[in-house]
Amino acid sequence: MEKKGKIIRVTTVPRSLGGLLQGQLKFMSQYYEVIGVSSKDENILDRVAKQEGIAVVPIQMTRKITPVQDLKAVYQLYKLFKKEKPDIVHSHTPKAGTLSMLAAKLAGVPNRLHTIAGLPLLEATGAKRLLLDTVEKATYACASMIYPNSFGLNDIILKNKYTSAKKLKVIANGSSNGIDTSHFDPSGYTKEDNDKLKQELDIAPDDFVFVFVGRFVKDKGINELITSFKQLNVEFEKSKLLLVGTYERELDPLLPETEREINENPNIIPVGWQNDVRPFFAISNALAFPSYREGFPNVVMQAGSMGLPSIVTDINGCNEIVSEGINGTIIPPKSSEILYQSMKKFISDPTYTNQLSLKARDMICERYEREFVWKSILEEYKKL
C-alpha cells in the first residue's frame, strides 16, 4: 500500500507512547510513515519501536516545569521537525503537547494536533493555576486542532476559554485509543487461574474484592478510597481491596495515615506496577475508581470489558463510560462517606451488583472497540 505522508507522534514518556497508543501506531503505519518521539529510556523506547514497527527518536522531556530543559527540548523537536518535514505532528500528554506544538508551529508543520486526555491543572490554585492556564492557552494557540478525548473535557475547555469551539473535536465516542475487547476478556481466565492467584494473594474464595488500578496519588482519590475501605472492612470482614499501581510521592503524595493503613491493613493488598492487569480484574468483583479528574480513563473501560461493574466519580470520561444503575454507579468526587455507602451496597446487595456486571462488558464492546476508534482517527487524518 502506498503511504500518503509522514506523521510524528509525541508523548512525554515512552511508557505512554507504548501503552496509551498501543497498537495504534502500528495500524497507522499501514497508511503513513510514522515516527514516535518520547523521552530517553532505551529499554522501553526500543520495545515500542519493535512492538509498533516504527522508527523512534529519544528527546528528553520532563513532566515538571523545568525552563532550561524545556527550551532545550523545544529546540531538539524543532530541529527534528525541520529535518523530517512531517505532514502531521500529533502529541499526547500535557508537557509533550506544549513543547511539540510550539516546536511544530516554529518549524512550519501544517497540521499540529494535540489530544487532551485530562487536565491536571484543574486541581491547581493561585499563582500555579494562573501559570498553568497560560501554558494551556499557549499550547492550544500553537495547535491547529485540539482533540479532547471526552465530551465532558470538551465542555471544560470551552468553559475555561482555552480555545474556540472551531478548534475542538471529540473523535468517535471519546477515548484516545479505544480498547481491545478480545484482549480484555474474562473468558481468557479459568476458575483454576483465578483460584491460584487468589491463593497467592491470601484472598479467600468468598471474599468480595474491590480493585483499584492506577497511580497511588491524591488526585486518584486514594485517600478517600482507603478511608472508605477501612470503615467498610470493620463491617464486612470478608472484603478485600486490591491496589494495582505505584506511588508518585514526589508529584502528588498521599496522606501519611493513608500510606500507613495501606501498609498495615492485611485486607489491603498492594501488588505494585503490573504489565498485565487482566489477572487482577479477573479475580475482582468490582472496580473502585474515585478519581478527582480524568480525560477518558482506560482503567474503567478495561474493567468493564472484563465484566466488572464500577464505582466512579461524577467527572468527565468516567460519567460517559458508566451509566448510573446500568453498568455501575456514579458518586461525587472527594466524598469518602458516599464512596463507603456505594461499596457497602455492592457487597450487601449481590442481585444489584450482578445486574450491573451483566451489562458491563456489552456496553464497552458496543461503544469503545479499539479498531472503531483507530479508523475514526484515520478518517480525521485523511481529511487533513
Side-chain angles (χ1 to χ4, degrees):
M1 182 186 296
E2 186 182 346
K3 297 186 180 181
K4 297 186 177 181
K6 185 184 291 185
I7 296 175
I8 297 181
R9 304 291 292 269
V10 191
T11 66
T12 309
V13 295
R15 186 170 279 163
S16 297
L17 195 66
L20 184 69
L21 302 176
Q22 186 177 34
Q24 188 181 139
L25 303 178
K26 189 172 189 176
F27 173 81
M28 293 300 171
S29 68
Q30 299 173 82
Y31 307 93
Y32 297 91
E33 181 185 346
V34 178
I35 298 172
V37 176
S38 198
S39 294
K40 287 180 182 175
D41 185 324
E42 275 83 17
N43 291 334
I44 298 178
L45 211 50
D46 288 348
R47 190 162 68 239
V48 173
K50 290 172 185 170
Q51 168 190 300
E52 303 292 334
I54 61 167
V56 294
V57 177
I59 292 179
Q60 196 61 31
M61 290 172 270
T62 64
R63 291 170 67 185
K64 295 180 180 179
I65 298 169
T66 51
V68 174
Q69 180 60 47
D70 294 345
L71 285 170
K72 186 178 176 183
V74 168
Y75 178 62
Q76 291 175 324
L77 287 162
Y78 168 80
K79 284 202 303 182
L80 176 68
F81 298 158
K82 289 296 279 186
K83 176 189 170 190
E84 295 292 343
K85 296 180 173 54
D87 302 281
I88 295 169
V89 169
H90 188 171
S91 59
H92 296 257
T93 65
K95 179 58 81 69
T98 300
L99 303 181
S100 61
M101 290 299 98
L102 174 57
K105 176 93 170 172
L106 293 171
V109 177
N111 298 293
R112 304 173 304 279
L113 318 178
H114 180 51
T115 292
I116 307 291
L119 289 168
L121 59 83
L122 294 177
E123 291 298 317
T125 55
K128 184 179 180 183
R129 175 63 185 265
L130 184 63
L131 172 63
L132 293 174
D133 275 345
T134 303
V135 170
E136 199 73 11
K137 287 176 182 176
T139 302
Y140 294 20
C142 291
S144 55
M145 278 296 291
I146 298 290
Y147 300 111
N149 72 349
S150 75
F151 293 98
L153 205 47
N154 188 84
D155 294 342
I156 290 169
I157 290 166
L158 289 173
K159 183 180 176 184
N160 284 275
K161 299 180 179 176
Y162 292 139
T163 191
S164 61
K166 66 182 180 182
K167 254 193 185 183
L168 295 170
K169 183 176 182 180
V170 178
I171 295 175
N173 293 312
S175 175
S176 300
N177 201 35
I179 182 165
D180 183 351
T181 56
S182 65
H183 183 70
F184 287 93
D185 186 344
S187 67
Y189 293 84
T190 64
K191 184 178 183 302
E192 289 74 20
D193 294 331
N194 296 339
D195 288 347
K196 183 183 176 192
L197 182 55
K198 281 186 174 185
Q199 196 171 9
E200 287 172 9
L201 298 173
D202 200 22
I203 296 171
D206 57 343
D207 282 342
F208 191 103
V209 182
F210 290 99
V211 63
F212 169 89
V213 178
R215 294 173 294 119
F216 303 168
V217 294
K218 176 187 168 188
D219 276 9
K220 292 292 185 185
I222 297 293
N223 290 319
E224 290 82 359
L225 178 58
I226 298 304
T227 299
S228 304
F229 182 76
K230 183 180 178 181
Q231 185 180 355
L232 183 84
N233 200 215
V234 171
E235 214 171 326
F236 297 91
E237 292 179 7
K238 301 298 290 181
S239 58
K240 291 283 196 294
L241 176 60
L242 191 54
L243 299 176
V244 184
T246 53
Y247 292 95
E248 285 192 357
R249 295 182 179 93
E250 72 288 354
L251 288 174
D252 189 12
L254 298 175
L255 294 169
E257 56 265 37
T258 298
E259 276 207 47
R260 191 160 53 247
E261 184 69 18
I262 291 171
N263 293 332
E264 294 177 2
N265 188 330
N267 291 318
I268 298 176
I269 308 164
V271 295
W273 171 268
Q274 299 291 328
N275 289 324
D276 188 356
V277 295
R278 293 173 300 167
F280 302 93
F281 285 132
I283 63 168
S284 300
N285 299 93
L287 174 75
F289 196 71
S291 184
Y292 297 176
R293 56 169 185 84
E294 292 292 328
F296 206 87
N298 285 326
V299 166
V300 183
M301 289 193 293
Q302 290 166 356
S305 190
M306 290 292 290
L308 295 188
S310 297
I311 300 171
V312 300
T313 39
D314 192 8
I315 57 172
N316 59 273
C318 288
N319 58 15
E320 294 171 42
I321 300 168
V322 172
S323 297
E324 176 61 43
I326 298 177
N327 61 337
T329 191
I330 302 170
I331 64 170
K334 305 182 183 180
S335 174
S336 54
E337 177 56 31
I338 298 176
L339 176 57
Y340 156 72
Q341 294 292 349
S342 298
M343 294 171 82
K344 181 178 177 179
K345 184 170 174 62
F346 270 46
I347 291 185
S348 58
D349 190 348
T351 303
Y352 165 76
T353 308
N354 289 337
Q355 284 176 343
L356 299 180
S357 300
L358 291 173
K359 280 284 185 184
R361 180 168 167 80
D362 287 347
M363 287 186 70
I364 300 300
C365 293
E366 287 164 12
R367 303 179 68 199
Y368 304 114
E369 176 56 54
R370 179 162 283 183
E371 200 150 313
F372 168 66
V373 175
W374 290 351
K375 286 177 179 176
S376 300
I377 297 170
L378 178 62
E379 285 307 307
E380 187 67 12
Y381 286 164
K382 286 180 178 177
K383 286 177 190 174
L384 299 173

